[in-house]
């Protein structure tokens, strides 16, 4: 168990800030801090950094500065000294389908590095990190794990549904429908204008809401933080309570690695499966575990997935939005059900200073008659929808999202495309037919670089009416909004000589979720022969952050980390 260094028999809540502001030697530090608002009394208080991912470039984060101010006020009221600072965010929804999407996963590392840098440099004793989009959320958690100083993560909250229950995935699928002649120009414009009504993260169980749920299951967020709308008093109160909670953690001496145990990650995996969450959770939980020095592998998802069912009927493959889940009680009753079935470790510590089991003691069940969360006797799928596959296409593993609606196996001839743009253009042009296995390669962590999400091609496939007739495999990854028979994270990736780079159009590919296999109908001898003529593609970038990332990033099977 990780605890703050004690002073005598007392926990020292100012372990780090003392080094910055105490004594005559640090007079210059105090002088600088007075200019930004410190008073005499503040120098004897524990300092709580408030990491805000506010930016006016995406709905997910446009409101977070207000939440950060609430967290600061909560820390101050509890006897700490809150200090606001910012880090970056980028928008997957805006950059999706463009070269800019290469920066998305890269931003996770930049965010983690930047938060660690500020907290380490300024000597903050504790941290509140507030995130509201796919990569800044795990980036915050990675920094929290690395720093191991008392910390709480606050989810910025989900967006409210647009007109006719639309969301961002409605827009991507309308593009495919437009290409197929099913959606008129006027209808496409109407979808564009009405799908995103204001602040908050994308409204289904896509990556943001998945990671928020996983963070709460990890114990890094206060109860209910994952299941709140972005706009309203409830989320502001959650942020204020988080500031106070960090001060309490400082007094108790509870640091993140006390919380981020192997059992906690097993809880997070179980909740991710039960809610039908995004494949990105696999990548991010592996990365957070590495930062917390916890051993976690792809095979842990398989092991846990054999006994945890999919219970929540949530988008993209289901019917309901996160806001509708919130109306019936959110994530807490689901966690209580899992705990009662022995599928959660109730003894895991959380940021409340109490265990998961203690937090859930007073939580009741969902209201009678609701059909958003199924009973164990009637699950959407009796085991995990996150299926880890191996085979001659993916010797180090791949991750499929199989809800059961797509069937459990698919076999077809490959249509091979080097890069997302070529694949999307072919799909929109009608060149991809029923029975095809679309292969998109050179989109991995190193080859992309940045492991772009394939929402544009999967949205185009669904929009053209091929969602149950075509499979798509890639060394890139998928948005939480993608659905259909899709396999990503194929490792080793094509750019480093993985078998995906050896495939040719016309090769027969078989995906068998029941056997957990992904195979090309090619002999080992044929693959060896093809390897002799394979040449690595030229790198997309030779300088700057993308080139730096490509040089150091790990395989997707290890979380695509740079640390």
């Amino acid at each position: 168990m990780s605890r703050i260094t004690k002073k005598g028999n007392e926990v020292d809540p100012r372990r780090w800030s003392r080094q910055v502001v105490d004594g005559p030697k640090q007079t210059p530090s105090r002088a600088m801090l007075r200019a930004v608002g410190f008073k005499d009394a503040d120098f004897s208080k524990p300092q709580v950094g408030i990491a805000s991912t506010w930016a006016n470039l995406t709905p997910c984060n446009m409101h977070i500065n207000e939440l950060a101010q609430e967290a600061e006020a909560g820390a101050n009221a509890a006897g700490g000294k809150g200090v606001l600072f910012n880090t970056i965010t980028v928008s997957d929804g805006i950059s999706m389908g463009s070269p800019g999407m290469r920066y998305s996963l890269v931003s996770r590392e930049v965010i983690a590095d930047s938060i660690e840098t500020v907290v380490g440099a300024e000597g903050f004793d504790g941290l509140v990190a507030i995130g509201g989009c796919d990569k800044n959320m795990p980036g915050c958690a990675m920094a929290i794990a690395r720093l191991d100083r008392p910390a709480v993560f606050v989810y910025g909250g989900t967006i409210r549904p647009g007109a006719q229950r639309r969301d961002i995935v409605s827009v991507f699928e309308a593009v495919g429908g437009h290409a197929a002649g099913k959606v008129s120009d006027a209808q496409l414009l109407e979808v564009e204008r009405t799908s995103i009504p204001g602040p908050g993260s994308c409204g289904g169980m896509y990556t943001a809401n998945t990671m928020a749920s996983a963070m709460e299951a990890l114990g890094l967020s206060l109860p209910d933080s994952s299941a709140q709308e972005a706009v309203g008093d409830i989320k502001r109160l959650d942020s204020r309570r988080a500031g106070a909670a960090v001060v309490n953690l400082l007094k108790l001496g509870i640091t993140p690695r006390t919380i981020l145990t192997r059992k906690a990650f097993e809880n997070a995996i179980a909740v991710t499966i039960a809610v039908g969450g995004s494949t990105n959770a696999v990548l991010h939980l592996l990365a957070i575990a590495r930062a917390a020095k916890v051993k976690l592998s792809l095979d842990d998802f398989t092991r846990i997935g054999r006994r945890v069912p999919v219970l929540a009927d949530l988008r993209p493959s289901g019917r309901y939005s996160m806001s509708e889940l919130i109306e019936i009680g959110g994530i807490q009753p689901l966690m209580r059900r899992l705990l009662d079935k022995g599928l959660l470790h109730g003894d895991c510590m959380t940021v409340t200073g109490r265990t998961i089991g203690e937090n859930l003691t007073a939580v009741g069940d969902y209201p009678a008659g609701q059909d958003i969360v199924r009973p164990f006797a009637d699950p959407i799928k009796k085991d995990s929808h996150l299926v880890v596959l191996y085979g001659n296409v993916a010797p180090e593993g791949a991750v499929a999202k199989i809800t059961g609606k797509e069937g459990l196996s698919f076999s077809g001839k490959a249509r091979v495309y080097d890069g997302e743009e070529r694949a999307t253009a072919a799909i929109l042009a009608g060149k991809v037919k029923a029975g095809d296995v679309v292969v998109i390669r050179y989109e991995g962590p190193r080859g992309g670089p940045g492991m772009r999400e394939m929402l544009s091609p999967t949205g185009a496939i669904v929009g053209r009416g091929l969602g149950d007739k075509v499979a798509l495999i890639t060394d890139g990854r998928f948005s939480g909004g993608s659905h259909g028979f899709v396999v990503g994270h194929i490792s080793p990736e094509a750019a480093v000589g993985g078998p995906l780079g050896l495939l040719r159009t016309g090769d027969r590919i078989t995906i068998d979720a029941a056997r957990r296999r992904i195979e090309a109908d090619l002999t080992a001898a044929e693959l060896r022969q093809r390897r002799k003529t394979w040449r690595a593609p030229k790198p997309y970038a030779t300088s700057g952050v993308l080139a730096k990332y490509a040089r150091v990033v790990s395989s997707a099977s290890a979380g695509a980390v740079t640390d």
Side-chain angles (χ1 to χ4, degrees):
M1 181 175 286
S2 180
R3 294 277 185 176
I4 294 177
T5 299
K6 293 189 177 183
K7 185 182 179 184
N9 292 321
E10 299 294 325
V11 171
D12 182 3
R14 295 188 56 230
R15 175 183 172 188
W16 291 277
S17 61
R18 285 185 186 280
Q19 302 172 59
V20 177
V21 300
D22 282 12
K25 181 174 72 69
Q26 295 306 124
T27 300
S29 304
R30 294 193 297 275
M32 293 284 284
L33 288 169
R34 289 181 188 279
V36 297
F38 273 61
K39 307 299 182 186
D40 286 343
D42 294 329
F43 295 113
S44 61
K45 298 174 182 177
Q47 292 186 31
V48 178
I50 314 292
S52 169
T53 56
W54 172 84
N56 204 31
L57 53 80
T58 168
C60 311
N61 295 72
M62 61 188 286
H63 64 300
I64 283 179
N65 201 44
E66 179 183 351
L67 302 184
Q69 291 169 349
E70 292 287 347
E72 179 189 25
N76 292 345
K81 173 57 179 174
V83 183
L84 277 165
F85 68 98
N86 233 73
T87 184
I88 68 160
T89 193
V90 301
S91 172
D92 289 4
I94 294 170
S95 62
M96 193 76 71
S98 78
M101 188 63 190
R102 289 184 169 87
Y103 289 90
S104 172
L105 191 58
V106 177
S107 77
R108 185 190 73 179
E109 308 301 301
V110 175
I111 291 161
D113 290 350
S114 67
I115 293 175
E116 179 192 350
T117 299
V118 173
V119 173
E122 299 300 312
F124 294 143
D125 301 298
L127 173 68
V128 176
I130 309 174
C133 202
D134 295 14
K135 306 309 169 301
N136 60 51
M137 298 169 67
C140 288
M142 289 162 68
I144 286 170
R146 290 181 195 171
L147 288 158
D148 199 30
R149 303 182 189 191
V152 175
F153 175 78
V154 176
Y155 177 41
T158 190
I159 196 171
R160 291 173 176 167
Q164 298 182 37
R165 301 175 67 245
R166 293 185 180 119
D167 60 20
I168 184 62
V169 176
S170 308
V171 187
F172 279 96
E173 294 181 358
V175 172
H178 182 264
K182 300 175 184 178
V183 175
S184 69
D185 290 349
Q187 289 171 326
L188 185 63
L189 180 60
E190 198 259 340
V191 170
E192 175 189 330
R193 286 173 168 168
T194 60
S195 295
I196 315 295
S201 299
C202 300
M205 190 49 69
Y206 311 143
T207 303
N209 282 317
T210 298
M211 288 310 301
S213 303
M215 298 278 215
E216 186 168 327
L218 279 171
L220 281 185
S221 298
L222 294 173
D224 285 323
S225 184
S226 68
Q228 296 168 346
E229 290 185 336
V231 177
D233 291 339
I234 293 174
K235 179 49 69 180
R236 287 192 289 271
L237 179 60
D238 179 52
S239 303
R240 184 175 286 260
R241 289 174 59 230
V246 172
V247 177
N248 184 52
L249 291 171
L250 281 161
K251 294 174 182 176
L252 296 174
I254 298 173
T255 65
R257 291 187 200 166
T258 307
I259 295 167
L260 295 174
T261 62
R262 182 173 172 83
K263 284 184 176 181
F265 281 96
E266 291 181 348
N267 285 347
I269 293 170
V271 169
T272 296
I273 292 167
V275 298
S278 166
T279 54
N280 278 319
V282 177
L283 195 73
H284 297 325
L285 288 173
L286 289 171
I288 298 166
R290 183 181 179 91
K293 303 187 185 304
V294 171
K295 289 184 178 180
L296 196 71
S297 73
L298 286 175
D299 293 337
D300 289 311
F301 289 82
T302 298
R303 175 177 56 83
I304 295 166
R306 288 194 176 103
R307 58 192 181 90
V308 178
V310 179
L311 298 175
D313 190 11
L314 298 170
R315 295 175 181 174
S317 56
R319 294 176 292 166
Y320 294 102
S321 70
M322 191 65 179
S323 288
E324 290 165 312
L325 178 63
I326 291 168
E327 288 177 4
I328 64 165
I331 294 296
Q332 289 276 295
L334 175 59
M335 290 177 63
R336 178 60 190 260
R337 286 187 179 185
L338 292 171
L339 180 69
D340 290 345
K341 279 285 185 180
L343 297 175
L344 286 187
H345 301 290
D347 58 345
C348 290
M349 180 56 66
T350 75
V351 294
T352 64
R354 300 185 300 274
T355 65
I356 285 278
E358 289 169 337
N359 289 342
L360 292 172
T361 298
V363 174
D365 200 5
Y366 292 110
Q370 65 81 28
D371 62 351
I372 299 175
V373 179
R374 301 271 193 91
F376 282 95
D378 182 30
I380 291 168
K381 191 171 184 287
K382 66 179 182 179
D383 54 8
S384 179
H385 64 302
L386 299 175
V387 181
V388 177
L389 307 170
Y390 293 96
N392 66 356
V393 173
E396 293 179 6
V399 181
K401 186 176 182 179
I402 308 294
T403 65
K405 296 179 181 179
E406 311 85 355
L408 294 176
S409 64
F410 194 101
S411 185
K413 289 185 176 180
R415 284 189 177 271
V416 179
Y417 301 97
D418 292 351
E420 177 189 358
E421 285 83 359
R422 292 178 181 178
T424 302
I427 295 163
L428 293 174
K431 295 179 180 179
V432 171
K433 308 295 184 183
D436 287 343
V437 177
V438 178
V439 177
I440 304 179
R441 63 189 180 191
Y442 301 115
E443 291 287 4
R446 186 170 297 181
M451 206 178 176
R452 287 191 289 179
E453 292 180 348
M454 301 292 122
L455 184 54
S456 289
T458 59
I461 286 169
V462 171
R464 290 193 69 87
L466 296 170
D468 59 348
K469 302 177 180 68
V470 167
L472 190 153
I473 69 174
T474 180
D475 51 7
R477 57 197 173 90
F478 295 105
S479 161
S482 291
H483 58 111
F485 213 106
V486 296
V487 181
H489 306 204
I490 289 177
S491 301
E493 61 176 286
V496 300
L500 199 69
L502 308 179
L503 298 181
R504 297 172 182 169
T505 293
D507 291 340
R508 179 158 289 276
I509 309 292
T510 298
I511 307 159
D512 189 331
R515 293 178 53 242
R516 302 178 187 275
R517 303 295 294 175
I518 178 167
E519 304 274 2
D521 189 12
L522 298 169
T523 65
E526 173 64 18
L527 287 170
R528 285 195 299 270
Q529 187 62 35
R530 291 185 185 187
R531 188 173 299 284
K532 292 178 182 178
T533 59
W534 178 82
R535 297 291 180 270
K538 292 181 179 179
Y540 179 83
T542 56
S543 63
V545 69
L546 292 179
K548 186 189 306 181
Y549 179 87
R551 284 195 296 270
V552 299
V553 69
S554 73
S555 167
S557 62
V561 296
T562 58
D563 180 22

